[in-house]
Amino acid sequence: MIELAMQRYGQALVDQTAQFAETARRAAVDAPVPTCPEWTLSKLVEHLGQTQHWVASIVEKRVSDPSQLPTSFAALPADQDAWASWLAEGASLLAAACADAGVDAPVWNPAGDARSGTRFWLRRILCETIIHRADAAATAGVAYQLDAELAADAITDHLAMMTSPGWAAQRPDSAEALRGKGQTLHLHASDEPNLGEAGEWFVERGTEGATWQHRHGTADVTVRGPATTLLLVLTRRRSVSAGLDDSLQVSGDLDLFTHWVENTAHQAG
């Protein structure tokens, strides 16, 4: 089951990267990225491609000690026409490295949770690619569509990262803001019944940190809507108000949900 999931994530990474490249081709090299105000399109492409190549090297070399991380980065081709093949190379290298390493290879996991590094990296970079494809779509002014199952996987990865020990160490202000005194949030992807509990997330803000589970439950605030809309709002690619204008339905404490979104700090850089 896990091996099949890894293969699925690897193929999804290659496919999503190809879609990212095709979308990026429709915008000018120096076009500003609306969802990442400090970036241009070329910076966005460079970031994603370099990240994929860098992580591929980490997994391929089975780097388990962060002091041994690669210090060089792949160069973005100057010719925009060469971006697609460069991006495809990075995605394919990473998917192959994860497949060769296996799910339990001793690879560094910066989240500091119980997952192996290989499991962490493949799902994390897939999530990053999915999110940055939304950035490219916003830059090119084209519609963004995403399969509900992939969107739900990305939400799961996002919550896992936001509630991990590694996040608390890297972004202590964010982690502190997400703590609480038992406040609860229930997120429910409404567009794909076959997702089952994989399309529901129950979050509790405890004094020691926020935690989450795949389950249904009565919460202080419940947010229902298409998985893709939920993902874009949670990762701050779409505002809460825009999500409400679109298709999100909120029952309960809207301020609690807004506070969560505003303090998750999933931004460029």
Side-chain angles (χ1 to χ4, degrees), residues 182-188 200-205 215-224 230 234 240 244 248-261:
Q183 298 96 330
T184 53
L185 304 89
H186 177 217
L187 310 174
H188 188 173
E200 297 198 59
W201 303 265
F202 192 90
V203 180
E204 183 171 1
R205 293 175 54 201
R215 70 177 178 87
H216 192 84
T218 302
D220 295 314
V221 59
T222 295
V223 183
R224 291 174 55 90
L230 280 172
L234 287 168
V240 173
L244 292 172
L248 290 189
Q249 299 176 352
V250 177
S251 300
D253 190 350
L254 175 59
D255 289 342
L256 178 60
F257 177 62
T258 302
H259 174 86
W260 177 275
V261 171

Side-chain angles (χ1 to χ4, degrees), residues 58-141:
I58 292 172
V59 177
E60 184 179 35
K61 296 176 181 178
R62 312 291 195 272
V63 176
S64 58
D65 181 350
S67 69
Q68 301 301 312
L69 292 173
T71 56
S72 61
F73 296 90
L76 174 70
D79 184 355
Q80 188 177 14
D81 291 338
W83 287 0
S85 59
W86 181 70
L87 289 164
E89 177 188 52
S92 297
L93 286 172
L94 177 52
C98 289
D100 292 343
V103 295
D104 294 317
V107 175
W108 176 59
N109 172 6
D113 54 24
R115 290 175 292 176
S116 69
T118 308
R119 297 186 207 195
F120 166 83
W121 281 118
L122 185 53
R123 202 169 189 179
R124 177 95 290 266
I125 300 305
L126 172 58
C127 180
E128 287 289 311
T129 303
I130 286 170
I131 294 168
H132 287 318
R133 189 165 72 80
D135 295 328
T139 307

Side-chain angles (χ1 to χ4, degrees), residues 12-244:
L13 175 64
V14 172
D15 293 344
Q16 290 295 308
T17 301
Q19 291 183 49
F20 171 88
E22 173 58 25
T23 303
R25 186 184 65 81
R26 302 187 182 194
V29 171
D30 58 353
V33 181
T35 45
C36 303
E38 296 182 3
W39 284 7
T40 61
L41 177 71
S42 61
K43 180 62 178 177
L44 174 68
V45 174
E46 180 181 55
H47 169 76
L48 182 62
Q50 286 187 338
T51 300
Q52 291 187 354
H53 280 85
W54 185 73
V55 173
S57 179
I58 292 172
V59 177
E60 184 179 35
K61 296 176 181 178
R62 312 291 195 272
V63 176
S64 58
D65 181 350
S67 69
Q68 301 301 312
L69 292 173
T71 56
S72 61
F73 296 90
L76 174 70
D79 184 355
Q80 188 177 14
D81 291 338
W83 287 0
S85 59
W86 181 70
L87 289 164
E89 177 188 52
S92 297
L93 286 172
L94 177 52
C98 289
D100 292 343
V103 295
D104 294 317
V107 175
W108 176 59
N109 172 6
D113 54 24
R115 290 175 292 176
S116 69
T118 308
R119 297 186 207 195
F120 166 83
W121 281 118
L122 185 53
R123 202 169 189 179
R124 177 95 290 266
I125 300 305
L126 172 58
C127 180
E128 287 289 311
T129 303
I130 286 170
I131 294 168
H132 287 318
R133 189 165 72 80
D135 295 328
T139 307
V142 299
Y144 177 76
Q145 295 180 327
L146 181 65
D147 176 78
E149 187 175 1
L150 273 180
D153 277 338
I155 291 172
T156 295
D157 179 83
H158 174 74
L159 290 176
M161 191 65 195
M162 294 300 111
T163 58
S164 71
W167 183 260
Q170 296 170 22
R171 301 290 182 92
D173 291 345
S174 172
E176 177 62 31
L178 298 183
R179 295 188 179 99
K181 298 181 179 179
Q183 298 96 330
T184 53
L185 304 89
H186 177 217
L187 310 174
H188 188 173
S190 60
D191 57 340
E192 183 51 75
N194 293 333
L195 289 175
E197 286 196 343
E200 297 198 59
W201 303 265
F202 192 90
V203 180
E204 183 171 1
R205 293 175 54 201
T207 56
E208 298 300 315
T211 59
W212 68 273
Q213 296 176 306
H214 280 305
R215 70 177 178 87
H216 192 84
T218 302
D220 295 314
V221 59
T222 295
V223 183
R224 291 174 55 90
T228 299
T229 304
L230 280 172
L231 174 65
L232 294 177
V233 171
L234 287 168
T235 58
R236 301 171 71 175
R237 266 52 191 178
R238 184 176 298 178
S239 68
V240 173
S241 59
L244 292 172

